[in-house]
Amino acid sequence: MKKVCTVVGARPQFIKLAVVSRELRESFQETLIHTGQHYDTDMSDIFFDELEIPKPDYNLGIHPTGGGAHGAMTGRMLMQIEEVLIQERPDLLLVFGDTNSTLAGALAAVKLHIPVCHVEAGNRLYTLDNPEEVNRIVTDHVSSIHLACTASGVDFLRREGFSDSVHLVGDPMYDAFCRYSARLDGSELAGLTDLEGARVSLPERFYYMTCHRQENTGRDEELAQIFQAMERLDAPVIYPVHPRNRERARRLSRDCKNMILTNPVGYCTSISLVCRAEKIITDSGGLQREAFFAQKPCVTVFDYVAWPETMENGCNRLAKPERDDILNKLGAKVCFDPAYKPFGDGCSAGRIVEQIQRFLK
Ligand code: UD1
Ligand code: UDP
């Protein structure tokens, strides 16, 4: 049996891994490397337990350094992944998305002449101001297989000169959404806790917000504006806070009456909140797609379109981190076309494995 090494490190990668690994292990021996980029129990273990992901063969324990030194983090990952790859000698390395773990995995492999398969290839914002853009570009340019989630990803890759290596497979986040949303029964909402650890009971009507991007949480100004918008809404806002901005969020929300800040939640709780919320406010690449999957209006507080397909008919609108812009966009009319399925049919994991099989034949 041929061997595939998979490198993951951050929350959204565990979710994609959950559906892809299950399929991959039918045909390949998988060695799983967790860089340690996300390490809190509610950012990592909870996903492995809840989504029944096999335990990593290697956990490198490389935590992000405070202050966001990306070079140091990526460099340490590169050194340690290289050591593992030299020992394991896989036939191929599999990476997802655009985190520092993705980049480190891809660089370590290509230097050892191990082919790289990139899932979620071809996303582009066309600005290097976004910390993840360089990870996307470099990973694509050292990969041998480019698996795009949507047609826009394929277009971006073709514009950069890739052709035979590009395949449209659909979005494993949609696979995960289909698989796990079918199991929701409400019990997944029982464990919500506030930042002090006290139980939170869910209001009947609510909005669901996540906000963790450096662009929105790196200074007080932007986050304070976003909070002011949330304070004006006609129902409470549930906001699971990413550890990156826990202290800032706690401080800025001291006088807020309409927001309910919680600890990060597990995946099933998160998609259950998406399915029950009135609307979604986010800066997350994953959450804006899940809003679209669940046909919930979404406002993405960000300057760039990350997933063009979600923007059709105003289903997802960009807003600046400014109170009035967010409120205006949240008030705009939205129209979903249930027949429009740009993220595939929920079976992308099978296609990902098929492409790896064809490549390694
Ligand atoms: C990373 C990804 C981003 C992705 C996000 C998913 C990069 C450059 N960015 O951003 O694309 O959207 O993951 O959530 O890779 N921290 C903890 N505990 C944890 C994890 C993080 O306390 O379990 C804190 C650390 O202090 C760290 C900060 O959060 O300094 C930021 O973590 P990092 O992994 O650098 O970036 P994310 O914002 O999580
Ligand atoms: N998510 C979660 N718990 C939370 C917040 C988000 O499980 O407290 C899920 C969310 O439903 C989506 C994924 O995490 O599936 C998105 O990850 P994140 O926003 O961290 O990263 P991004 O998608 O922006 O790269």
Side-chain angles (χ1 to χ4, degrees):
M1 217 181 216
K2 294 209 166 154
K3 189 195 274 188
V4 173
C5 262
T6 306
V7 173
V8 293
R11 173 167 72 184
Q13 293 167 330
F14 308 144
I15 298 162
K16 293 158 204 166
L17 176 71
V19 289
V20 174
S21 181
R22 186 169 280 114
E23 200 83 34
L24 188 71
R25 285 175 189 234
E26 300 278 312
S27 315
F28 293 96
Q29 182 192 339
E30 182 183 41
T31 300
L32 186 55
I33 306 173
H34 183 334
T35 61
Q37 181 171 348
H38 286 176
Y39 53 92
D40 290 347
T41 304
D42 53 16
M43 294 294 288
S44 179
D45 290 357
I46 192 174
F47 295 92
F48 283 80
D49 294 345
E50 184 179 43
L51 307 181
E52 296 169 314
I53 305 169
K55 261 186 112 51
D57 299 284
Y58 297 86
N59 190 323
L60 306 181
I62 302 164
H63 303 333
T65 42
H70 286 223
M73 185 200 326
T74 312
R76 284 184 294 144
M77 288 176 184
L78 178 57
M79 285 165 63
Q80 291 196 37
I81 295 170
E82 181 175 62
E83 275 178 31
V84 175
L85 294 182
I86 288 170
Q87 205 173 307
E88 292 285 338
R89 281 273 148 223
D91 297 286
L92 181 130
L93 181 113
L94 176 64
V95 283
F96 303 95
D98 56 14
T99 70
N100 290 342
S101 300
T102 312
L103 175 65
L107 284 178
V110 74
K111 290 267 184 194
L112 294 168
H113 307 290
I114 296 165
V116 177
C117 173
H118 186 203
V119 172
E120 221 174 272
N123 282 47
R124 293 291 182 269
L125 305 186
Y126 293 109
T127 172
L128 289 174
D129 289 344
N130 171 253
E132 286 81 23
E133 183 80 350
V134 66
N135 298 345
R136 299 183 190 104
I137 296 173
V138 175
T139 302
D140 278 339
H141 283 259
V142 300
S143 291
S144 300
I145 316 179
H146 300 95
L147 302 183
C149 297
T150 61
S152 64
V154 172
D155 288 346
F156 289 138
L157 288 162
R158 296 224 191 281
R159 273 185 237 165
E160 285 173 35
F162 299 105
S163 59
D164 293 352
S165 61
V166 177
H167 306 280
L168 178 61
V169 291
D171 185 357
M173 287 298 272
Y174 186 48
D175 293 24
F177 183 84
C178 295
R179 180 183 177 91
Y180 295 101
S181 63
R183 302 178 182 183
L184 303 176
D185 58 10
S187 61
E188 66 283 345
L189 295 165
L192 277 178
T193 55
D194 69 17
L195 298 186
E196 270 55 63
R199 281 279 295 278
V200 168
S201 53
L202 202 61
E204 201 158 308
R205 286 183 67 246
F206 63 89
Y207 294 83
Y208 180 26
M209 169 165 102
T210 72
C211 182
H212 72 278
R213 298 240 155 259
Q214 182 179 298
E215 291 89 334
N216 289 327
T217 63
R219 310 187 312 167
D220 283 3
E221 286 81 344
E222 287 78 11
L223 198 59
Q225 284 283 319
I226 295 168
F227 285 8
Q228 281 181 34
M230 298 304 103
E231 284 296 284
R232 297 288 180 103
L233 293 177
D234 60 356
V237 177
I238 306 290
Y239 174 26
V241 184
H242 188 293
R244 159 192 276 281
N245 59 298
R246 191 183 286 129
E247 290 321 312
R248 195 185 299 277
R250 198 199 295 267
R251 176 167 52 78
L252 293 176
S253 66
R254 221 171 271 142
D255 297 324
C256 291
K257 304 269 181 296
N258 199 41
M259 290 175 50
I260 304 174
L261 274 57
T262 76
N263 290 306
V265 297
Y267 175 70
C268 290
T269 308
S270 184
I271 57 170
S272 187
L273 289 169
V274 171
C275 293
R276 288 162 195 256
E278 300 288 315
K279 296 183 182 182
I280 311 294
I281 305 96
T282 193
D283 57 9
S284 155
L287 209 79
Q288 62 186 277
R289 270 129 82 203
E290 286 160 356
F292 183 84
F293 304 155
Q295 303 204 356
K296 296 289 174 169
C298 180
V299 168
T300 297
V301 185
F302 202 51
D303 281 340
Y304 302 93
V305 173
W307 294 94
E309 290 81 0
T310 62
M311 311 306 267
E312 288 279 318
N313 301 323
C315 299
N316 180 16
R317 290 174 204 265
L318 294 186
K320 298 202 172 307
E322 292 167 10
R323 186 192 68 184
D324 293 344
D325 195 34
I326 296 169
L327 291 172
N328 284 337
K329 301 288 167 52
L330 274 172
K333 213 169 135 38
V334 174
C335 169
F336 282 93
D337 171 4
Y340 178 52
K341 300 258 181 208
F343 292 92
D345 57 1
C347 301
S348 77
R351 288 194 201 91
I352 290 166
V353 175
E354 246 171 65
Q355 290 304 334
I356 295 174
Q357 279 170 325
R358 279 183 47 187
F359 182 87
L360 290 178
K361 199 166 61 196

